[in-house]
Amino acid sequence: MAEPVQIAVVGSGYVGLVAAVCFAEMGHSVICVDNDERKVAALQGGDTLIHENYLPELLERYRNTGVRFMTDLGEATRACQAIFVAVGTPQSETGDADLSYVEAVASEIARSIDGYKVIIEKSTVPVYTNEWIRRVIERNGVHREAFDVVSNPEFLREGTAVEDFLHPDRIVIGADSKRASDLLSAIYAPLTGGEYYDRPDAIAGCCSALKPPPSLLTSTKSAEIIKHASNAFLALKISFINAVSNLCEAADANVEQVAQGIGLDSRIGPKFLRPGIGYGGSCFPKDIAAFRSVGEQMGVDFNLLSEVEKINDNQKKRFLGKVRSALWTLRGKRLAVLGLAFKGDTDDIRESPAIDLVEMLLAEGCMVVAFDPAAMERAQAKLPPSAQLRYANSIDEAAADADALLILTDWREFARIDLMQLHTLMRYPIIIDGRNLYDPQRMLESGFTYLSIGRPSATPVREDVKLAV
Ligand code: UDX
């Protein structure tokens, strides 16, 4: 059994909270610190605050035992040897990451350091942030020997963050001293040594005792760049397939076949080649902008990233054009919108292309009735119900009497709609699918006009089918 480490996690957002309960699951003793008293009280009471697989179970298992929640960063610093910083790094007006929360946390940690500590960046930060943290701590009178700063980036996807944490593709430890990298290696030993996966109550996933995750030791700067470069590469892959999907539309080819054909090349791989209405979420848009900005500040030409952003933005405009091409005019049209979250299995609407599209449709004078299985509360806070925008309680309610139905998020249940029933509910059987959840031939057979991304559109020619135009 590996030695438990006393760990503090600063920040209880997606990354911080998941890291805190997962470290407890790995056998460590954790203090999770947040300066928001209401959040701390909610977490102490067992409310996870976010929608994430396995989080309720793990929180119930460890709250107030393996994980204690508190607001006092000073107390947590004194009690722990490893302090993970997982506070927000929002996008500033210029595109680069706003590091003021990271700086504030570093100063506060410095004031409470009473022995050797390792401060670990978990938040996504630009290269050189570790240097700045180091400087801030030294400026606050702490001797260089009393601490180390390490970069240990996270590659968690929302919705599967707990599985991603406990079954990672790799663990990246960016440390410039052996003492610090030894501590991080000890923290991850239950995973890298495989011991965790032999436990009968372990969360299931792709790693096992025989196939534990590899850990990669790098310099702190390399680790910082690995995080930004990974997200930028994934966004690039998505924009690439979206650009190819536009070409497929122009050539009357099928992007799904093309994606399969290129994805079978083991050098390319099949993942992140799903075309759609563009990427969103709390990471990709912000991280691409921040990485581009890092390049600019260092005098490195990285215009490729601007193109990635441009294609992503354009994808939403093209989708609006598709809606227009199916309906001729938009003003006064009654549209069912399925999906508001930036992807399926989450209630997160940050930078959601679905929300952007609803705003664009409202600006065109459409009447929208929207439904999302998890993101409606958050969506209503951003786009309050109005004469033009209603929120429905089900797919059927959204679809009733609609001139067209738009699929904007890849929720599993949107791929399993009873098409016969849907056909009877809608005013006109027109579906514009921004996530390619259906086979066009099946839609045609079910009597729908069906437009999707990068595939030939399907329009029934039967006399008995009602058409919009
Ligand atoms: C992402 C990274 O995957 C994760 O490693 C990082 O730590 C945080 O950012 P997340 O934002 O949760 O995770 O979502 P992800 O599943 O990666 O999807 C991001 C966006 O890309 C979504 O809007 C999704 O719909 C879109 N996407 C993804 C596509 O359009 N096509 C794809 O093939 C894959």
Side-chain angles (χ1 to χ4, degrees):
M1 174 86 182
E3 277 294 298
V5 177
Q6 300 281 335
I7 294 174
V9 178
V10 190
S12 63
Y14 277 98
V15 174
L17 183 57
V18 169
V21 296
C22 288
F23 283 139
E25 169 77 354
M26 287 155 63
H28 301 301
S29 174
V30 183
I31 297 177
C32 185
V33 186
D34 202 295
N35 58 8
D36 182 337
E37 280 178 22
R38 278 186 314 178
K39 257 180 135 178
V40 167
L43 290 164
Q44 283 167 339
D47 182 350
T48 58
L49 301 168
I50 52 170
H51 183 89
E52 200 58 57
N53 280 345
Y54 295 114
L55 195 55
E57 293 92 312
L58 289 187
L59 186 64
E60 211 37 54
R61 209 180 282 173
Y62 298 111
R63 90 188 146 95
N64 307 329
T65 55
V67 186
R68 289 186 294 136
F69 294 97
M70 61 171 70
T71 51
D72 190 341
L73 178 54
E75 184 185 338
T77 302
R78 287 186 292 276
C80 297
Q81 201 178 357
I83 303 151
F84 286 83
V85 180
V87 295
T89 49
Q91 191 173 332
S92 71
E93 272 168 24
T94 50
D96 46 39
D98 172 357
L99 297 174
S100 52
Y101 299 113
V102 176
E103 182 181 358
V105 165
S107 315
E108 211 177 323
I109 291 172
R111 286 195 285 275
S112 306
I113 287 183
D114 58 352
Y116 177 70
K117 308 282 171 189
V118 178
I119 294 111
I120 306 122
E121 309 163 342
K122 262 280 181 234
S123 312
T124 306
V125 290
V127 65
Y128 280 111
T129 305
N130 72 87
E131 291 256 333
W132 276 108
I133 295 177
R134 200 188 309 271
R135 263 184 241 174
V136 166
I137 294 178
E138 281 185 58
R139 270 182 203 158
N140 279 277
V142 182
H143 194 271
R144 231 197 143 89
E145 297 294 306
F147 73 99
D148 275 305
V149 183
V150 169
S151 168
N152 170 223
E154 218 34 80
F155 305 94
L156 311 178
R157 288 163 301 172
E158 287 182 23
T160 54
V162 170
E163 291 126 289
D164 289 348
F165 195 99
L166 295 168
H167 294 266
D169 285 349
R170 75 297 205 191
I171 292 163
V172 176
I173 298 173
D176 297 327
S177 89
K178 184 164 177 334
R179 198 176 177 190
S181 70
D182 283 351
L183 181 67
L184 267 288
S185 298
I187 291 173
Y188 284 103
L191 302 187
T192 52
E195 179 193 317
Y196 171 71
Y197 308 107
D198 267 343
R199 264 175 37 189
D201 61 346
I203 303 280
C206 57
C207 296
S208 66
L210 290 175
K211 200 176 136 286
S215 100
L216 179 68
L217 293 181
T218 70
S219 69
T220 44
K221 287 183 192 134
S222 298
E224 288 169 329
I225 291 182
I226 285 171
K227 172 67 193 184
H228 265 151
S230 299
N231 277 355
F233 191 82
L234 292 170
L236 177 141
K237 234 180 147 181
I238 298 170
S239 278
F240 180 82
I241 199 64
N242 280 333
V244 171
S245 79
N246 299 337
L247 196 74
C248 287
E249 277 174 22
D252 222 18
N254 182 331
V255 71
E256 298 295 339
Q257 294 171 356
V258 174
Q260 198 183 2
I262 56 181
L264 280 169
D265 186 323
S266 59
R267 293 167 302 177
I268 298 173
K271 294 184 182 164
F272 277 69
L273 284 180
R274 287 194 323 276
I277 52 173
Y279 59 76
S282 62
C283 291
F284 284 174
K286 165 174 85 76
D287 291 353
I288 306 315
F291 202 30
R292 181 171 43 72
S293 175
V294 165
E296 272 162 23
Q297 283 165 27
M298 299 186 138
V300 175
D301 176 355
F302 213 158
N303 280 335
L304 177 65
L305 297 179
S306 309
E307 284 304 313
V308 169
E309 290 174 315
K310 205 164 101 191
I311 294 169
N312 198 54
D313 211 36
N314 210 27
Q315 210 56 16
K316 291 176 270 200
K317 297 183 190 132
R318 281 186 66 96
F319 188 80
L320 185 70
K322 247 183 236 286
V323 180
R324 204 191 300 278
S325 76
L327 296 174
W328 188 20
T329 62
L330 291 178
R331 182 161 298 281
K333 289 281 157 64
R334 154 83 175 79
L335 301 179
V337 163
L338 298 189
L340 297 161
F342 79 98
K343 64 172 190 177
D345 286 325
T346 175
D347 60 350
D348 198 340
I349 58 155
R350 283 176 288 177
E351 302 291 329
S352 170
I355 295 284
D356 290 345
L357 268 160
V358 170
E359 284 179 328
M360 287 154 92
L361 293 165
L362 294 176
E364 294 283 343
C366 297
M367 316 291 287
V368 173
V369 184
F371 171 72
D372 187 285
M376 302 244 279
E377 216 179 295
R378 288 178 194 262
Q380 286 184 48
K382 185 164 167 75
L383 297 176
S386 66
Q388 250 188 295
L389 173 63
R390 263 199 312 120
Y391 289 90
N393 290 315
S394 65
I395 296 175
D396 286 359
E397 193 187 324
D401 256 343
D403 289 314
L405 179 135
L406 277 45
I407 301 176
L408 302 186
T409 306
D410 52 349
W411 280 99
R412 261 180 296 264
E413 60 196 277
F414 295 164
R416 293 195 296 245
I417 301 175
D418 177 343
L419 296 177
M420 295 264 280
Q421 152 109 342
L422 185 67
H423 198 287
T424 59
L425 284 173
M426 293 178 65
R427 195 163 131 86
Y428 295 110
I430 299 173
I431 296 181
I432 305 141
D433 182 356
R435 300 291 186 165
N436 286 4
L437 299 188
Y438 287 92
D439 170 21
Q441 185 57 31
R442 188 174 155 224
M443 279 292 175
L444 201 58
E445 284 159 13
S446 304
F448 284 95
T449 292
Y450 180 70
L451 279 70
S452 55
I453 308 289
R455 300 185 294 182
S457 52
T459 310
V461 284
R462 286 179 10 228
E463 300 268 301
D464 56 328
V465 172
K466 294 181 276 178
L467 289 177
V469 290

mmCIF file of all heavy atoms in Angstrom, residues 154-158 227 231 234 238 242 271-276 278-284 342-343 353 410 435, ligand 1:
data_model
loop_
_atom_site.group_PDB
_atom_site.id
_atom_site.type_symbol
_atom_site.label_atom_id
_atom_site.label_comp_id
_atom_site.label_asym_id
_atom_site.label_seq_id
_atom_site.Cartn_x
_atom_site.Cartn_y
_atom_site.Cartn_z
ATOM 1 N N GLU A 154 -4.090 18.563 -16.334
ATOM 2 C CA GLU A 154 -5.220 17.642 -16.327
ATOM 3 C C GLU A 154 -5.835 17.567 -17.706
ATOM 4 O O GLU A 154 -5.880 18.580 -18.409
ATOM 5 C CB GLU A 154 -6.228 18.227 -15.323
ATOM 6 C CG GLU A 154 -6.927 17.224 -14.503
ATOM 7 C CD GLU A 154 -6.064 16.038 -14.174
ATOM 8 O OE1 GLU A 154 -5.238 16.116 -13.246
ATOM 9 O OE2 GLU A 154 -6.221 15.037 -14.871
ATOM 10 N N PHE A 155 -6.299 16.400 -18.088
ATOM 11 C CA PHE A 155 -6.899 16.257 -19.426
ATOM 12 C C PHE A 155 -8.332 15.737 -19.298
ATOM 13 O O PHE A 155 -8.738 14.811 -19.983
ATOM 14 C CB PHE A 155 -6.035 15.320 -20.285
ATOM 15 C CG PHE A 155 -4.603 15.764 -20.376
ATOM 16 C CD1 PHE A 155 -3.636 15.268 -19.512
ATOM 17 C CD2 PHE A 155 -4.228 16.727 -21.308
ATOM 18 C CE1 PHE A 155 -2.317 15.699 -19.577
ATOM 19 C CE2 PHE A 155 -2.903 17.161 -21.392
ATOM 20 C CZ PHE A 155 -1.954 16.649 -20.525
ATOM 21 N N LEU A 156 -9.071 16.316 -18.357
ATOM 22 C CA LEU A 156 -10.411 15.816 -18.044
ATOM 23 C C LEU A 156 -11.444 16.351 -19.014
ATOM 24 O O LEU A 156 -11.484 17.544 -19.295
ATOM 25 C CB LEU A 156 -10.819 16.255 -16.636
ATOM 26 C CG LEU A 156 -9.804 16.003 -15.525
ATOM 27 C CD1 LEU A 156 -10.347 16.530 -14.213
ATOM 28 C CD2 LEU A 156 -9.494 14.533 -15.434
ATOM 29 N N ARG A 157 -12.313 15.442 -19.486
ATOM 30 C CA ARG A 157 -13.464 15.896 -20.267
ATOM 31 C C ARG A 157 -14.649 16.004 -19.330
ATOM 32 O O ARG A 157 -14.828 15.151 -18.455
ATOM 33 C CB ARG A 157 -13.805 14.875 -21.367
ATOM 34 C CG ARG A 157 -12.814 14.826 -22.502
ATOM 35 C CD ARG A 157 -12.982 13.552 -23.286
ATOM 36 N NE ARG A 157 -12.774 12.397 -22.409
ATOM 37 C CZ ARG A 157 -12.995 11.136 -22.767
ATOM 38 N NH1 ARG A 157 -13.455 10.866 -23.970
ATOM 39 N NH2 ARG A 157 -12.779 10.139 -21.938
ATOM 40 N N GLU A 158 -15.462 17.011 -19.536
ATOM 41 C CA GLU A 158 -16.658 17.130 -18.703
ATOM 42 C C GLU A 158 -17.571 15.946 -18.967
ATOM 43 O O GLU A 158 -17.712 15.501 -20.102
ATOM 44 C CB GLU A 158 -17.384 18.426 -19.006
ATOM 45 C CG GLU A 158 -16.629 19.603 -18.457
ATOM 46 C CD GLU A 158 -17.347 20.905 -18.685
ATOM 47 O OE1 GLU A 158 -18.578 20.883 -18.864
ATOM 48 O OE2 GLU A 158 -16.665 21.931 -18.684
ATOM 49 N N LYS A 227 -0.078 20.816 -22.131
ATOM 50 C CA LYS A 227 -1.514 21.023 -21.912
ATOM 51 C C LYS A 227 -2.135 21.883 -23.017
ATOM 52 O O LYS A 227 -3.140 21.515 -23.629
ATOM 53 C CB LYS A 227 -1.726 21.677 -20.539
ATOM 54 C CG LYS A 227 -3.144 22.110 -20.269
ATOM 55 C CD LYS A 227 -4.089 20.933 -20.144
ATOM 56 C CE LYS A 227 -5.519 21.397 -20.189
ATOM 57 N NZ LYS A 227 -6.501 20.382 -19.993
ATOM 58 N N ASN A 231 -4.803 20.543 -26.194
ATOM 59 C CA ASN A 231 -6.126 21.096 -26.497
ATOM 60 C C ASN A 231 -6.154 21.747 -27.878
ATOM 61 O O ASN A 231 -7.139 21.616 -28.609
ATOM 62 C CB ASN A 231 -6.549 22.102 -25.420
ATOM 63 C CG ASN A 231 -7.157 21.387 -24.222
ATOM 64 O OD1 ASN A 231 -7.343 20.177 -24.248
ATOM 65 N ND2 ASN A 231 -7.469 22.131 -23.182
ATOM 66 N N LEU A 234 -6.401 19.031 -30.534
ATOM 67 C CA LEU A 234 -7.741 18.437 -30.627
ATOM 68 C C LEU A 234 -8.701 19.393 -31.328
ATOM 69 O O LEU A 234 -9.514 18.980 -32.164
ATOM 70 C CB LEU A 234 -8.259 18.078 -29.225
ATOM 71 C CG LEU A 234 -7.504 16.932 -28.548
ATOM 72 C CD1 LEU A 234 -7.901 16.807 -27.082
ATOM 73 C CD2 LEU A 234 -7.758 15.614 -29.277
ATOM 74 N N ILE A 238 -10.804 18.935 -34.935
ATOM 75 C CA ILE A 238 -12.240 19.180 -35.147
ATOM 76 C C ILE A 238 -12.434 20.186 -36.288
ATOM 77 O O ILE A 238 -13.261 19.982 -37.184
ATOM 78 C CB ILE A 238 -12.917 19.697 -33.847
ATOM 79 C CG1 ILE A 238 -12.808 18.650 -32.738
ATOM 80 C CG2 ILE A 238 -14.390 20.032 -34.103
ATOM 81 C CD1 ILE A 238 -13.222 19.148 -31.363
ATOM 82 N N ASN A 242 -14.308 19.671 -39.871
ATOM 83 C CA ASN A 242 -15.403 20.570 -40.252
ATOM 84 C C ASN A 242 -15.127 21.210 -41.617
ATOM 85 O O ASN A 242 -16.033 21.341 -42.440
ATOM 86 C CB ASN A 242 -15.614 21.639 -39.176
ATOM 87 C CG ASN A 242 -16.428 21.093 -38.006
ATOM 88 O OD1 ASN A 242 -17.230 20.158 -38.173
ATOM 89 N ND2 ASN A 242 -16.249 21.654 -36.821
ATOM 90 N N LYS A 271 -10.513 9.352 -33.390
ATOM 91 C CA LYS A 271 -11.169 10.233 -32.413
ATOM 92 C C LYS A 271 -11.099 11.707 -32.814
ATOM 93 O O LYS A 271 -10.171 12.123 -33.490
ATOM 94 C CB LYS A 271 -10.539 10.041 -31.035
ATOM 95 C CG LYS A 271 -10.805 8.657 -30.487
ATOM 96 C CD LYS A 271 -10.259 8.502 -29.102
ATOM 97 C CE LYS A 271 -10.510 7.087 -28.598
ATOM 98 N NZ LYS A 271 -9.683 6.790 -27.438
ATOM 99 N N PHE A 272 -12.079 12.452 -32.346
ATOM 100 C CA PHE A 272 -12.154 13.902 -32.596
ATOM 101 C C PHE A 272 -12.214 14.234 -34.083
ATOM 102 O O PHE A 272 -11.683 15.236 -34.543
ATOM 103 C CB PHE A 272 -11.017 14.655 -31.886
ATOM 104 C CG PHE A 272 -11.399 14.915 -30.454
ATOM 105 C CD1 PHE A 272 -11.501 13.879 -29.554
ATOM 106 C CD2 PHE A 272 -11.728 16.180 -30.020
ATOM 107 C CE1 PHE A 272 -11.918 14.085 -28.256
ATOM 108 C CE2 PHE A 272 -12.141 16.402 -28.720
ATOM 109 C CZ PHE A 272 -12.231 15.344 -27.837
ATOM 110 N N LEU A 273 -12.893 13.357 -34.819
ATOM 111 C CA LEU A 273 -13.129 13.620 -36.241
ATOM 112 C C LEU A 273 -14.628 13.674 -36.499
ATOM 113 O O LEU A 273 -15.076 13.363 -37.590
ATOM 114 C CB LEU A 273 -12.481 12.533 -37.104
ATOM 115 C CG LEU A 273 -10.959 12.601 -37.276
ATOM 116 C CD1 LEU A 273 -10.454 11.464 -38.152
ATOM 117 C CD2 LEU A 273 -10.527 13.951 -37.878
ATOM 118 N N ARG A 274 -15.393 14.047 -35.453
ATOM 119 C CA ARG A 274 -16.846 14.161 -35.663
ATOM 120 C C ARG A 274 -17.159 15.590 -36.093
ATOM 121 O O ARG A 274 -16.912 16.545 -35.355
ATOM 122 C CB ARG A 274 -17.612 13.839 -34.373
ATOM 123 C CG ARG A 274 -17.618 12.351 -34.005
ATOM 124 C CD ARG A 274 -18.658 12.057 -32.946
ATOM 125 N NE ARG A 274 -18.806 13.087 -31.944
ATOM 126 C CZ ARG A 274 -18.062 13.217 -30.861
ATOM 127 N NH1 ARG A 274 -17.082 12.374 -30.612
ATOM 128 N NH2 ARG A 274 -18.291 14.191 -30.002
ATOM 129 N N PRO A 275 -17.704 15.742 -37.321
ATOM 130 C CA PRO A 275 -18.045 17.091 -37.758
ATOM 131 C C PRO A 275 -19.283 17.589 -37.020
ATOM 132 O O PRO A 275 -20.032 16.800 -36.449
ATOM 133 C CB PRO A 275 -18.346 16.902 -39.247
ATOM 134 C CG PRO A 275 -18.789 15.488 -39.360
ATOM 135 C CD PRO A 275 -18.083 14.712 -38.295
ATOM 136 N N GLY A 276 -19.497 18.889 -37.010
ATOM 137 C CA GLY A 276 -20.665 19.408 -36.301
ATOM 138 C C GLY A 276 -20.790 20.908 -36.450
ATOM 139 O O GLY A 276 -20.399 21.477 -37.480
ATOM 140 N N GLY A 278 -19.283 22.990 -34.503
ATOM 141 C CA GLY A 278 -18.099 23.619 -33.914
ATOM 142 C C GLY A 278 -17.913 23.214 -32.465
ATOM 143 O O GLY A 278 -18.849 22.809 -31.803
ATOM 144 N N TYR A 279 -16.672 23.338 -31.996
ATOM 145 C CA TYR A 279 -16.388 22.999 -30.600
ATOM 146 C C TYR A 279 -16.767 24.169 -29.695
ATOM 147 O O TYR A 279 -16.803 25.320 -30.126
ATOM 148 C CB TYR A 279 -14.911 22.624 -30.412
ATOM 149 C CG TYR A 279 -13.927 23.716 -30.805
ATOM 150 C CD1 TYR A 279 -13.705 24.815 -29.989
ATOM 151 C CD2 TYR A 279 -13.230 23.651 -32.001
ATOM 152 C CE1 TYR A 279 -12.820 25.813 -30.342
ATOM 153 C CE2 TYR A 279 -12.336 24.646 -32.375
ATOM 154 C CZ TYR A 279 -12.149 25.723 -31.539
ATOM 155 O OH TYR A 279 -11.286 26.722 -31.901
ATOM 156 N N GLY A 280 -17.060 23.831 -28.433
ATOM 157 C CA GLY A 280 -17.325 24.869 -27.428
ATOM 158 C C GLY A 280 -16.793 24.389 -26.094
ATOM 159 O O GLY A 280 -15.863 23.592 -26.045
ATOM 160 N N GLY A 281 -17.397 24.881 -25.016
ATOM 161 C CA GLY A 281 -16.991 24.441 -23.680
ATOM 162 C C GLY A 281 -16.050 25.411 -23.000
ATOM 163 O O GLY A 281 -15.636 26.420 -23.577
ATOM 164 N N SER A 282 -15.685 25.060 -21.781
ATOM 165 C CA SER A 282 -14.891 25.983 -20.969
ATOM 166 C C SER A 282 -13.415 25.929 -21.326
ATOM 167 O O SER A 282 -12.639 26.756 -20.860
ATOM 168 C CB SER A 282 -15.068 25.639 -19.494
ATOM 169 O OG SER A 282 -14.582 24.335 -19.268
ATOM 170 N N CYS A 283 -12.997 24.937 -22.122
ATOM 171 C CA CYS A 283 -11.551 24.797 -22.361
ATOM 172 C C CYS A 283 -11.097 25.191 -23.762
ATOM 173 O O CYS A 283 -10.277 26.097 -23.908
ATOM 174 C CB CYS A 283 -11.126 23.365 -22.095
ATOM 175 S SG CYS A 283 -11.205 22.940 -20.369
ATOM 176 N N PHE A 284 -11.616 24.502 -24.781
ATOM 177 C CA PHE A 284 -11.046 24.695 -26.118
ATOM 178 C C PHE A 284 -11.008 26.166 -26.561
ATOM 179 O O PHE A 284 -9.939 26.671 -26.901
ATOM 180 C CB PHE A 284 -11.781 23.841 -27.155
ATOM 181 C CG PHE A 284 -11.427 22.372 -27.125
ATOM 182 C CD1 PHE A 284 -12.098 21.464 -27.925
ATOM 183 C CD2 PHE A 284 -10.415 21.895 -26.304
ATOM 184 C CE1 PHE A 284 -11.775 20.117 -27.907
ATOM 185 C CE2 PHE A 284 -10.087 20.549 -26.264
ATOM 186 C CZ PHE A 284 -10.767 19.662 -27.072
ATOM 187 N N PHE A 342 -22.944 22.426 -24.409
ATOM 188 C CA PHE A 342 -21.924 22.484 -25.475
ATOM 189 C C PHE A 342 -21.597 21.107 -26.043
ATOM 190 O O PHE A 342 -21.016 20.988 -27.115
ATOM 191 C CB PHE A 342 -20.660 23.208 -25.002
ATOM 192 C CG PHE A 342 -19.724 22.383 -24.150
ATOM 193 C CD1 PHE A 342 -18.612 21.770 -24.711
ATOM 194 C CD2 PHE A 342 -19.941 22.229 -22.790
ATOM 195 C CE1 PHE A 342 -17.731 21.011 -23.944
ATOM 196 C CE2 PHE A 342 -19.080 21.475 -22.014
ATOM 197 C CZ PHE A 342 -17.978 20.859 -22.588
ATOM 198 N N LYS A 343 -21.997 20.060 -25.293
ATOM 199 C CA LYS A 343 -21.893 18.676 -25.790
ATOM 200 C C LYS A 343 -22.834 17.840 -24.931
ATOM 201 O O LYS A 343 -23.359 18.333 -23.919
ATOM 202 C CB LYS A 343 -20.456 18.162 -25.698
ATOM 203 C CG LYS A 343 -19.943 18.057 -24.270
ATOM 204 C CD LYS A 343 -18.602 17.357 -24.218
ATOM 205 C CE LYS A 343 -18.223 17.054 -22.773
ATOM 206 N NZ LYS A 343 -16.986 16.324 -22.632
ATOM 207 N N PRO A 353 -21.917 26.236 -28.733
ATOM 208 C CA PRO A 353 -22.364 26.681 -30.057
ATOM 209 C C PRO A 353 -23.887 26.654 -30.165
ATOM 210 O O PRO A 353 -24.475 27.394 -30.945
ATOM 211 C CB PRO A 353 -21.712 25.690 -31.021
ATOM 212 C CG PRO A 353 -21.212 24.560 -30.207
ATOM 213 C CD PRO A 353 -21.070 25.037 -28.796
ATOM 214 N N ASP A 410 -25.117 16.640 -28.968
ATOM 215 C CA ASP A 410 -25.121 15.188 -29.206
ATOM 216 C C ASP A 410 -25.502 14.390 -27.954
ATOM 217 O O ASP A 410 -24.744 13.529 -27.506
ATOM 218 C CB ASP A 410 -23.767 14.727 -29.776
ATOM 219 C CG ASP A 410 -22.583 15.184 -28.937
ATOM 220 O OD1 ASP A 410 -22.778 16.028 -28.032
ATOM 221 O OD2 ASP A 410 -21.460 14.706 -29.174
ATOM 222 N N ARG A 435 -25.365 17.541 -35.577
ATOM 223 C CA ARG A 435 -24.466 16.562 -34.942
ATOM 224 C C ARG A 435 -24.433 15.208 -35.655
ATOM 225 O O ARG A 435 -23.875 14.243 -35.125
ATOM 226 C CB ARG A 435 -24.886 16.355 -33.474
ATOM 227 C CG ARG A 435 -24.845 17.608 -32.624
ATOM 228 C CD ARG A 435 -23.420 18.083 -32.401
ATOM 229 N NE ARG A 435 -23.383 19.194 -31.463
ATOM 230 C CZ ARG A 435 -22.278 19.604 -30.870
ATOM 231 N NH1 ARG A 435 -21.125 19.038 -31.129
ATOM 232 N NH2 ARG A 435 -22.313 20.618 -30.049
HETATM 233 C C1 UDX B 1 -11.760 19.178 -23.440
HETATM 234 C C2 UDX B 1 -10.585 18.182 -23.599
HETATM 235 O O1 UDX B 1 -11.052 16.987 -24.275
HETATM 236 C C3 UDX B 1 -9.990 17.825 -22.246
HETATM 237 O O2 UDX B 1 -8.862 16.978 -22.419
HETATM 238 C C4 UDX B 1 -9.559 19.127 -21.571
HETATM 239 O O3 UDX B 1 -9.002 18.871 -20.307
HETATM 240 C C5 UDX B 1 -10.749 20.068 -21.449
HETATM 241 O O4 UDX B 1 -11.303 20.319 -22.722
HETATM 242 P P1 UDX B 1 -14.326 19.051 -22.786
HETATM 243 O O5 UDX B 1 -14.359 20.533 -22.999
HETATM 244 O O6 UDX B 1 -15.001 18.493 -21.585
HETATM 245 O O7 UDX B 1 -12.811 18.522 -22.740
HETATM 246 O O8 UDX B 1 -15.046 18.380 -24.041
HETATM 247 P P2 UDX B 1 -14.668 17.469 -25.302
HETATM 248 O O9 UDX B 1 -15.347 16.170 -25.154
HETATM 249 O O10 UDX B 1 -13.234 17.446 -25.569
HETATM 250 O O11 UDX B 1 -15.425 18.315 -26.455
HETATM 251 C C6 UDX B 1 -15.113 19.688 -26.681
HETATM 252 C C7 UDX B 1 -15.965 20.257 -27.786
HETATM 253 O O12 UDX B 1 -15.603 19.694 -29.037
HETATM 254 C C8 UDX B 1 -17.460 19.984 -27.633
HETATM 255 O O13 UDX B 1 -18.180 21.137 -28.011
HETATM 256 C C9 UDX B 1 -17.723 18.834 -28.601
HETATM 257 O O14 UDX B 1 -19.049 18.809 -29.050
HETATM 258 C C10 UDX B 1 -16.744 19.176 -29.702
HETATM 259 N N1 UDX B 1 -16.315 18.009 -30.489
HETATM 260 C C11 UDX B 1 -15.585 17.016 -29.920
HETATM 261 C C12 UDX B 1 -16.624 17.954 -31.856
HETATM 262 O O15 UDX B 1 -17.278 18.865 -32.389
HETATM 263 N N2 UDX B 1 -16.178 16.889 -32.582
HETATM 264 C C13 UDX B 1 -15.438 15.875 -32.034
HETATM 265 O O16 UDX B 1 -15.073 14.949 -32.759
HETATM 266 C C14 UDX B 1 -15.141 15.946 -30.664
#
